Amino acid sequence: MNSETILFILTTVMELASLLCAWLGVRRARTNRKQALAIIGVPLVVNVILYSIYRTTPFFYLGVVLLICLPFVWPRKSA
């Protein structure tokens, strides 16, 4: 497999995983906030690593989407 095929597969997998984890993390925030942070944090770190390796915009924008989701699951002192 050449590098373009690998990049296409990684981009497709990370798009699906990021959107699914963002949805699951926000839905899971009501029950267990630490687990929701982990659900969102893992694909965020993977997107940052892949962006630093490949320098393509889809990984950057997926990371931005996950960063936007973080305030909705961040544990508050009152909760």
Side-chain angles (χ1 to χ4, degrees):
M1 289 192 338
N2 58 8
S3 63
E4 294 172 356
T5 305
I6 293 172
L7 180 62
F8 175 74
I9 292 171
L10 282 174
T11 304
T12 305
V13 168
M14 285 311 298
E15 284 174 352
L16 294 173
S18 295
L19 294 176
L20 179 68
C21 289
W23 183 78
L24 281 175
V26 171
R27 298 285 296 173
R28 194 84 169 139
R30 295 180 185 153
T31 58
N32 191 353
R33 291 189 184 268
K34 290 184 181 184
Q35 187 178 16
L37 279 174
I39 289 173
I40 292 177
V42 171
L44 177 62
V45 170
V46 173
N47 279 320
V48 168
I49 291 170
L50 289 174
Y51 176 71
S52 66
I53 292 171
Y54 291 108
R55 298 285 181 193
T56 58
T57 56
F59 298 121
F60 175 76
Y61 289 127
L62 289 170
V64 169
V65 168
L66 292 171
L67 278 175
I68 291 171
C69 292
L70 272 180
F72 295 104
V73 298
W74 195 262
R76 293 175 290 175
K77 291 181 180 179
S78 63

